[in-house]
Amino acid sequence: MTSLVWISGASAGIGAALAATVPFPEARVIDLSRRGGTVEHFPVDLSDPADWVRVERYFEAELAGFAGERVVFVHNAGTVVPIGPADAVDAEAYTRAVLLNSAAPQVLGRAFLRATAKLTCEKHLVMLSSGAASTAYPGWSAYNAGKAAVDHWVRTVGAEQPPVRPADVERGAGRPRVGEVERGAGGLGISRGGRGELEDDPAVRGEGEPDRAVRGGGEPDRAVRGELLVGCRVVAVAPGVVDTAMQGEIRAVDERAFPAVGRFRELKESGALVSPEQAALGIWSLFERELPNGSVLDLRKLPA
């Protein structure tokens, strides 16, 4: 095994297509979902916070002593259900949707970053986004808000990452001071402290005591302690409107619950939907591109 790949929601749709088209030879592919599909399955309900803890422990256990070339987590799981005005839908179903769409990506993403922090192989975290992150569709409040949260989380966490190439670490780029700006892979400039004005702080310049250079008042920064760090490439990608079972659910909804339903019916009738396989290949193609960390992308708008 040279690659370890986790895909959430790989039992059907885009997730199943991603699992079937993993481009890495000798990859171990694991589906994080309730039902399971055609690959190795770790059963979880990602709308249940108790199962987030199980996933975090699973990441940690599987990555202990990992010596392969790359680790990947593609978070694909999400739901548009319930569809309707926020004040009219079922409260329990709405809560599950908020947990799955908004909270689970952030919590599981953090867990993956934490579990891979000391690995020096390639590390990739891909979050599935949607055009709904920037377009307000009445009837989709939990879905719209969840995808918007994913996009901004990716921008923020991407800016927090050290350089992503092991070669950069070997040259010493993996020992940045807190607040130091480095150039990593893909030409991305990363401010370790997140604010340029911190460069005037003696602790940031390395003139203070190392054990006092602390992020958030907690554990001393690992780079300050002299550990070599290789960052994880974190991106969000909207695959377009894909011909999945979820789209069938959308088209079946009454226009009073989802006023834009006519547009999605027309896309199906005109043959404008993307197949899950096309979407999956587009997502995997991102691994061949030099992308700034924290990129939020749309497959329909990528340059050739």
Side-chain angles (χ1 to χ4, degrees), residues 54-65:
R54 292 181 56 235
V55 173
E56 179 167 14
R57 291 173 180 165
Y58 184 52
F59 284 158
E60 292 171 349
E62 292 294 332
L63 290 170

Side-chain angles (χ1 to χ4, degrees), residues 93-108:
Y94 193 83
T95 299
R96 286 197 303 270
V98 169
L99 290 170
L100 178 59
N101 294 332
S102 295
Q106 299 178 61
V107 174
L108 298 178

